[in-house]
Amino acid sequence: MPHDNHDQDHDHDPLEQGAALRVRALEELMVAKGLVDPATMDAIVEYYETETGPRNGAMVVARAWSDPEFKEWLLSDGSAAIAFMGFTGFQGEHMRVVENTDAVHNVVVCTLCSCYPWPVLGLPPTWYKSLAYRARVVREPRAVLAEFGVTVPEGQRVQVWDSTAEIRYLVLPQRPEGSEGETPEALAAHVTRNGMIGTALI
Ligand code: FE
């Protein structure tokens, strides 16, 4: 996949390693001072690594593709429709779902920090938090998308959504051609994390 190298680059980013070291130092200090219980911290991390993740979002997308009424609800009240599917919690309280069409391709960023819809996508990928992505996707979205392997045709508008603490976005990709009659499970298998951020088509 074209974005794999992108991820890899950031894995070796000395700034990111510095951040990881600072986080670990903070964590050790807080544990030493008795401010946090390491078991609680481990449970929280495990929850976000195993219980939530892009599969949740993929199930939301698959349902929207196969159920027009649900799709209408999802687009008009993302928070309620997603909560109805059981995906609730921190960083997912106020959701807006934006639909890709032949006229518009949506892509999500948090220019200020790394706001991201955890209940439906899990933890954000490293590149999403990088200064380069946050700055460039606003200025030159088509160029950034091309680096992810996404070519947006001239006639298709690119809409960039800037997440905040108040509102998180999920992109509803266009349903793949030839997927008529597929079960929701099969439909969900088409959907990638990047597709729901907008840095992939599906
Ligand atoms: Fe943020």
Side-chain angles (χ1 to χ4, degrees):
M1 286 184 287
H3 55 265
D4 279 348
N5 288 333
H6 199 99
D7 269 339
Q8 219 164 30
D9 288 344
H10 287 290
D11 285 341
H12 299 287
D13 184 335
L15 279 178
E16 296 294 345
Q17 285 175 8
L21 282 176
R22 286 196 298 279
V23 167
R24 191 196 306 221
L26 264 177
E27 183 182 333
E28 282 174 5
L29 191 64
M30 287 167 80
V31 169
K33 286 187 174 285
L35 293 172
V36 296
D37 170 16
T40 306
M41 187 121 58
D42 287 347
I44 292 170
V45 169
E46 191 182 317
Y47 175 80
Y48 282 105
E49 281 179 349
T50 60
E51 297 297 312
T52 171
R55 285 304 96 199
N56 291 357
M59 283 192 268
V60 173
V61 169
R63 182 159 188 166
W65 282 344
S66 46
D67 177 347
E69 267 181 49
F70 179 79
K71 178 178 161 182
E72 206 183 309
W73 185 24
L74 184 68
L75 293 175
S76 63
D77 187 350
S79 307
I82 290 169
F84 173 77
M85 289 192 70
F87 307 132
T88 57
F90 189 53
Q91 301 242 3
E93 295 91 344
H94 305 287
M95 292 291 309
R96 176 158 176 202
V97 180
V98 290
E99 182 186 19
N100 283 351
T101 66
D102 288 341
V104 60
H105 179 88
N106 297 286
V107 60
V108 180
V109 65
C110 175
T111 53
L112 197 63
C113 47
S114 56
C115 297
Y116 193 72
W118 293 3
V120 279
L121 292 186
L123 297 174
T126 307
W127 59 258
Y128 184 85
K129 299 180 275 186
S130 74
L131 281 172
Y133 177 76
R134 286 156 46 201
R136 289 186 56 220
V137 78
V138 179
R139 268 199 329 259
E140 42 174 3
R142 283 171 193 271
V144 171
L145 290 174
E147 288 168 31
F148 278 91
V150 176
T151 308
V152 180
E154 276 298 305
Q156 194 180 26
R157 193 164 57 84
V158 177
Q159 176 75 55
V160 181
W161 299 92
D162 193 359
S163 310
T164 64
E166 277 76 43
I167 194 151
R168 309 296 160 92
Y169 296 92
L170 184 77
V171 174
L172 175 60
Q174 287 186 282
R175 184 175 173 153
E177 282 176 37
S179 64
E180 294 77 14
E182 286 186 5
T183 63
E185 290 73 26
L187 284 171
H190 293 285
V191 185
T192 68
R193 177 195 67 200
N194 286 13
M196 294 179 281
I197 303 174
T199 52
L201 288 180
I202 297 170

